[in-house]
Amino acid sequence: MARPKARNKECKSRSTGADASEQAPTLAELQARFQDALMGDDERVLDLIAENARERTEVLLGVYRNAYVVRLIDFLKNDYPKLAELTGDEQFIKLARSYIAAHPSRTPNARWFGAKFPEHLATSDLAREHPVLAELARFEKALNDAFDAPDAPCVGLEHLAAIAPENWPELTFAPHPSVELLRLETNAVAIWQALEADETPPAPERLAEPQQLLVYRQALTAHFRALGAEEAMMWREAVRGVAFGVLCEMVATFGGEADAPMRAGTYLKGWLEAGLLAGTAAPSATNTD
Amino acid sequence: MNTTVEKPPFLGFGLGLRTPHYNDLLDPDNEDAAAIDWFEVISENYLVPGGKPLQVLDQIAGRWPVVMHGVSLSIASTAPLDYDYLDALKRLAARIEPKWVSDHLCWTGVHGVNLHDLLPIPYTEEALEHIAARVIEVQDYLGHRIALENVSTYVTFAHSEMSEWEFLSELARRADCWVLLDVNNVYVSSFNHGWDAKTFIDGVPHDRVVQFHVAGHSDMDTHIIDTHDHPVIDEVWELYDYALRRCGPVSTLIERDDHIPPLAELRSELDTARRIAAPVLQAAE
């Protein structure tokens, strides 16, 4: 059976190469060296690569080195498309390369490679100068996470109708796993919306008041909506397990006594309609069962 | 040890499941969708907690036969097998009941790092022993044979002791696994390393080939890169014809990972595959 032509070249390469006397590496040594070449500028693996009739081995190794970085940049671009649009290719690649060097992938799934990109961005000089960048990344990550978060049944308004009035003060709420509340200090969302609509984004700016934003999944698509400070406060407390009776008191303290239970009830109704809750519990009811 | 085993069924002509085609595929009246016999899904794309990917996958698996094709098994790596990953694969397989599960004859990283690339191996007895033992371990864990695909390579190692096809054949025999023969990868590697593509196809165990991949690539003049972003070229179709004549009817997949065209365009590539395969299918009847 014909041997690969490369083998003939190999013999030549090994008899004339600098490492001709080198013992054949173990598979583990070869892989360590190959990986070093891809992740850094250590090129010792070239000693192990057979000569090629058409192309220099440096160029062929370069196919892998290039593909490694390009693929990871693509993963990030795929997860953070608006950030890439806002920064432009050159800056994005710079940020991506810095992330790739600091956080090599340790996951079998490309989906999770970019999970720490927003945090990493926040530490970069560019993002310190332009805080909108890290916030835009956080927002895009929240959308991605909502999209494929665990499935759970959503409870609707009819569910609440079945709860006896005397159990309402004790009622606690479990958020749907797709929901995340973000607090953003810049106009990152306005920029995202403009880019999504193919419009020129507004200039980045720090907001007078932080923007509170619920990101969640509805009908298999990631959605978001802005919340007032009071509703955001109530959501935060509700997902910590605070019961409805206490939530009403907190709302009263936050925004005034008058109509406080009505306001709390309105927020709750909105959450149920948007599918933000996966369950409720009324301890006194279950205790007596 | 080399017992005759019954191959999984011939599935016909399929496509990789890709998000731009979701709407067409979920439309029960779409004629292009109806013309596709089966789907290959990238396992990792569906190893997510929930939401649309899994919901769509359930619907696809409910209508078409599916096979799972992974990119992270890293079967040739000297790093320990990732049992969290295997466990996730096993759960996905239990959910969608694929006709088979495949990955690549390559490694993707060591020391806890995933380089997310299909990296080349030296064709040595040491590697053969190592990989065969791992394939057996994976098959034991998953409870069925896996198929391993020949990858495109751009370098070979000076201390290789055998050809790629000898290595692949011996591995399949020792580990008792299936072969996913990527015809485009044979073409790409044959060009890059200067061997004869038909010799490769002659050299693999035809009774173990359960699937063909046919794809396009990027010609860089001195070397070819396996980019899966172009239509299939005539030379690869010729090689596909040759492989069919050697192996008999084998489930065929048109693979496109980038610059994904409309479903109708891929359907016409599938029709080309069907035309080429027709005489072999007739002869097998």
Side-chain angles (χ1 to χ4, degrees):
Chain A
M1 180 177 285
R3 292 283 175 176
K5 279 183 194 163
R7 270 189 66 81
N8 303 327
K9 304 286 171 193
E10 285 159 26
C11 298
K12 208 158 93 194
S13 141
R14 298 196 75 194
S15 57
T16 56
D19 295 286
S21 61
E22 189 179 356
Q23 288 255 311
T26 64
L27 185 59
E29 285 163 1
L30 178 143
Q31 291 180 344
R33 271 205 229 178
F34 204 97
Q35 178 160 305
D36 286 347
L38 264 54
M39 295 176 72
D41 49 16
D42 182 342
E43 290 197 329
R44 286 174 312 140
V45 76
L46 282 173
D47 298 342
L48 309 179
I49 293 175
E51 270 188 38
N52 183 288
R54 269 192 231 98
E55 190 54 275
R56 289 183 306 123
T57 52
E58 288 88 341
V59 173
L60 296 171
L61 178 63
V63 174
Y64 290 102
R65 299 176 89 170
N66 184 51
Y68 167 63
V69 176
V70 167
R71 188 168 291 115
L72 293 181
I73 292 173
D74 277 352
F75 292 165
L76 293 174
K77 224 180 240 181
N78 187 51
D79 283 350
Y80 301 95
K82 301 291 189 283
L83 176 69
E85 221 180 312
L86 185 67
T87 59
D89 244 13
E90 194 182 326
Q91 286 293 356
F92 188 82
I93 289 170
K94 211 181 277 181
L95 294 168
R97 279 180 178 275
S98 138
Y99 180 69
I100 291 164
H103 298 273
S105 177
R106 296 187 172 272
T107 161
N109 198 341
R111 169 68 183 87
W112 314 116
F113 166 63
K116 291 180 180 153
F117 195 42
E119 283 167 48
H120 179 80
L121 259 186
T123 67
S124 75
D125 288 341
L126 185 72
R128 266 199 288 262
E129 201 181 322
H130 306 285
V132 74
L133 299 179
E135 290 207 332
L136 182 55
R138 273 178 65 205
F139 178 58
E140 294 202 276
K141 179 176 185 294
L143 292 172
N144 298 340
D145 290 348
F147 179 71
D148 58 13
D151 295 312
C154 300
V155 296
L157 277 173
E158 70 288 348
H159 173 84
L160 280 195
I163 291 167
E166 65 270 24
N167 287 330
W168 271 83
E170 298 292 317
L171 201 61
T172 56
F173 307 95
H176 190 273
S178 74
V179 188
E180 186 179 349
L181 179 61
L182 290 181
R183 182 176 181 279
L184 301 176
E185 296 184 351
T186 69
N187 61 340
V189 174
I191 289 172
W192 185 94
Q193 286 173 303
L195 293 171
E196 177 75 2
D198 268 334
E199 289 163 7
T200 309
E205 63 176 15
R206 191 171 284 275
L207 301 171
E209 283 292 323
Q211 184 178 24
Q212 312 264 7
L213 205 69
L214 275 177
V215 182
Y216 56 100
R217 182 169 73 222
Q218 195 173 42
L220 299 178
T221 310
H223 287 250
F224 61 92
R225 87 174 153 87
L227 300 183
E230 185 175 74
E231 185 178 359
M233 178 281 298
M234 178 167 147
W235 175 266
R236 265 195 196 91
E237 298 302 328
V239 300
R240 282 178 52 219
V242 173
F244 188 67
V246 180
L247 290 174
C248 289
E249 288 167 25
M250 291 173 130
V251 167
T253 308
F254 194 95
E257 292 277 347
D259 298 336
M262 174 90 106
R263 296 203 302 282
T266 305
Y267 299 144
L268 181 59
K269 184 163 171 269
W271 302 348
L272 289 162
E273 284 170 345
L276 304 183
L277 297 179
T280 63
S284 57
T286 47
N287 287 348
T288 54
D289 276 347
Chain B
M1 279 300 286
N2 203 359
T3 50
T4 318
V5 286
E6 201 171 312
K7 268 197 207 180
F10 170 65
L11 301 178
F13 302 85
L15 288 181
L17 179 61
R18 303 288 182 263
T19 49
H21 301 143
Y22 277 1
N23 285 344
D24 286 342
L25 299 179
L26 297 177
D27 171 3
D29 300 324
N30 187 293
E31 286 179 10
D32 295 320
I36 297 156
D37 297 332
W38 60 282
F39 281 94
E40 179 188 77
V41 305
I42 303 294
S43 310
E44 286 76 5
N45 290 353
Y46 302 92
L47 299 182
V48 294
K52 186 171 177 177
L54 287 166
Q55 214 251 19
V56 171
L57 182 59
D58 286 341
Q59 294 181 64
I60 299 296
R63 179 172 167 194
W64 283 280
V66 293
V67 307
M68 278 166 52
H69 185 52
V71 295
S72 302
L73 183 60
S74 201
I75 197 71
S77 176
T78 49
L81 279 172
D82 180 346
Y83 271 88
D84 289 340
Y85 172 73
L86 286 179
D87 190 52
L89 267 191
K90 195 173 179 171
R91 274 183 283 125
L92 186 64
R95 178 172 180 146
I96 63 170
E97 299 180 336
K99 297 298 178 188
W100 58 84
V101 174
S102 65
D103 204 295
H104 303 81
L105 178 50
C106 72
W107 60 288
T108 66
V110 286
H111 309 151
V113 170
N114 188 353
L115 300 162
H116 297 279
D117 199 357
L118 309 173
L119 301 171
I121 51 180
Y123 305 120
T124 62
E125 175 60 32
E126 181 211 6
L128 194 50
E129 238 173 76
H130 174 72
I131 301 167
R134 279 164 66 100
V135 175
I136 290 167
E137 195 179 335
V138 168
Q139 293 184 147
D140 281 350
Y141 187 76
L142 295 179
H144 47 74
R145 286 185 192 82
I146 59 169
L148 287 178
E149 173 183 347
N150 58 298
V151 299
S152 287
T153 55
Y154 313 106
V155 302
T156 53
F157 296 103
H159 63 293
S160 280
E161 296 157 4
M162 62 194 95
S163 66
E164 183 184 350
W165 53 93
E166 287 169 317
F167 189 92
L168 178 62
S169 303
E170 184 57 16
L171 175 67
R173 192 189 67 78
R174 285 193 202 179
D176 189 16
C177 65
W178 304 125
V179 172
L180 193 177
L181 183 64
D182 188 312
V183 177
N184 179 61
N185 290 350
V186 173
Y187 180 82
V188 168
S189 294
S190 76
F191 181 90
N192 288 343
H193 309 309
W195 38 258
D196 178 35
K198 288 182 179 165
T199 306
F200 185 112
I201 290 171
D202 290 340
V204 297
H206 303 137
D207 57 338
R208 291 189 181 275
V209 177
V210 295
Q211 185 185 339
F212 289 145
H213 271 173
V214 185
H217 53 249
S218 298
D219 192 337
M220 314 301 282
D221 203 21
T222 62
H223 57 285
I224 297 180
I225 301 185
D226 174 37
T227 44
H228 295 173
D229 59 353
H230 286 73
V232 180
I233 63 165
D234 288 346
E235 287 86 342
V236 171
W237 283 128
E238 275 169 36
L239 209 52
Y240 169 63
D241 187 21
Y242 186 80
L244 271 169
R245 287 170 199 281
R246 283 304 189 155
C247 301
V250 168
S251 306
T252 298
L253 182 104
I254 303 289
E255 199 180 29
R256 191 73 77 90
D257 296 329
D258 219 340
H259 304 155
I260 295 171
L263 200 56
E265 193 179 322
L266 291 177
R267 178 193 169 179
S268 78
E269 282 203 311
L270 275 186
D271 289 340
T272 304
R274 282 193 175 99
R275 266 200 307 281
I276 293 169
V280 173
L281 295 187
Q282 269 163 16
E285 270 171 12

